[in-house]
């Protein structure tokens, strides 16, 4: 700082104060968004749990119920629907560890696409590279694509790999077999 004028020092002090103010505002916005995301994640959990349990109960209780989705796994590949963002390395590693050699991946998120491309895995589509822009309509398209592949026996198993939100400090990777439901 030797050789700086008083005016230059005052300008730097003002600049630092301004930067501190902007940083504080950004911190407040980020914490607000984090609280909002946390409350949405916690609020959705009971619906997911109730729906999943109800579907299992229906499938378990009604032996006369016939559905092509209840068939035993046959020939065909396993498809992994992997949902992961930039900080979900554990989800990617879990999926990769579990995948058989001939598995197909439907990646959702940029890092997910890059992870499986780098490992030369068969990727069904890269259409869902931007996870934040996946809409309800896209979810319907994904479900139809996977269900049609299961019905025509292209896929023998369907597995969803995602982050299970426990708390702000703990998110655990989870793999949920979706089809077949035996």
């Amino acid at each position: 700082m030797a050789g700086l004028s008083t005016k230059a020092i005052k300008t730097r002090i003002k600049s630092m104060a301004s930067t501190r103010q902007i940083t504080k505002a950004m911190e407040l916005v980020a914490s607000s968004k984090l609280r909002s995301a946390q409350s949405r994640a916690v609020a959705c959990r009971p619906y997911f749990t109730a729906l999943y349990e109800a579907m299992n109960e229906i499938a378990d209780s009604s032996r006369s119920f016939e559905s092509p989705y209840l068939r035993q796994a046959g020939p065909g590949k396993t498809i992994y629907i992997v949902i992961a963002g930039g900080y979900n390395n554990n989800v990617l590693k879990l999926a990769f560890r579990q995948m058989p050699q001939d598995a197909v991946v439907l990646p959702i998120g940029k890092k997910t696409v890059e992870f499986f491309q780098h490992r030369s895995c068969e990727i069904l589509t890269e259409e869902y590279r931007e996870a934040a822009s996946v809409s309800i309509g896209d979810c319907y398209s994904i479900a139809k694509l996977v269900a049609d592949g299961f019905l025509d026996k292209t896929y023998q198993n369907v597995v969803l790999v995602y982050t299970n939100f426990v708390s702000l400090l703990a998110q655990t990777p989870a793999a949920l077999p979706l089809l077949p439901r035996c």
Side-chain angles (χ1 to χ4, degrees):
M1 288 265 228
L4 287 179
S5 68
T6 307
K7 184 176 180 180
I9 293 172
K10 285 182 181 180
T11 304
R12 280 196 177 182
I13 291 171
K14 280 184 181 179
S15 175
M16 293 296 287
S18 176
T19 302
R20 187 178 310 121
Q21 198 173 20
I22 291 168
T23 305
K24 182 66 176 172
M26 290 170 63
E27 185 180 306
L28 291 172
V29 169
S31 65
S32 173
K33 284 184 178 182
L34 184 62
R35 278 192 304 275
S36 174
Q38 178 185 6
S39 65
R40 281 194 312 265
V42 170
C44 289
R45 186 177 295 138
Y47 296 106
F48 170 79
T49 304
L51 181 62
Y52 190 72
E53 287 173 0
M55 288 172 48
N56 283 336
E57 190 175 316
I58 290 168
D60 290 342
S61 67
S62 179
R63 293 292 171 210
S64 63
F65 179 69
E66 290 292 321
S67 172
Y69 297 108
L70 299 177
R71 70 171 162 79
Q72 292 291 324
K77 298 179 178 184
T78 299
I79 184 166
Y80 280 78
I81 304 168
V82 183
I83 305 170
Y87 299 108
N88 295 323
N89 235 4
N90 291 335
V91 171
L92 300 173
K93 288 177 184 176
L94 173 70
F96 191 69
R97 266 195 323 266
Q98 286 189 355
M99 287 172 51
Q101 195 71 26
D102 66 341
V104 178
V105 180
L106 195 159
I108 300 176
K110 180 181 176 188
K111 294 287 185 187
T112 311
V113 172
E114 291 170 357
F115 180 88
F116 289 106
Q117 278 178 337
H118 181 68
R119 284 156 182 80
S120 301
C121 296
E122 184 180 345
I123 295 176
L124 182 63
T125 180
E126 293 180 28
E127 189 176 337
Y128 308 106
R129 183 178 282 270
E130 290 297 321
S133 66
V134 174
S135 68
I136 296 292
D138 291 331
C139 292
Y140 175 78
S141 298
I142 291 168
K144 180 152 179 42
L145 181 69
V146 171
D148 289 348
F150 184 80
L151 291 177
D152 70 18
K153 298 184 176 152
T154 303
Y155 312 122
Q156 67 174 344
N157 295 307
V158 179
V159 179
L160 176 66
V161 185
Y162 62 99
T163 302
N164 186 23
F165 180 83
V166 178
S167 71
L168 286 176
L169 298 176
Q171 295 90 34
T172 58
L176 180 65
L178 298 176
L179 293 174
R181 174 63 181 105
C182 302

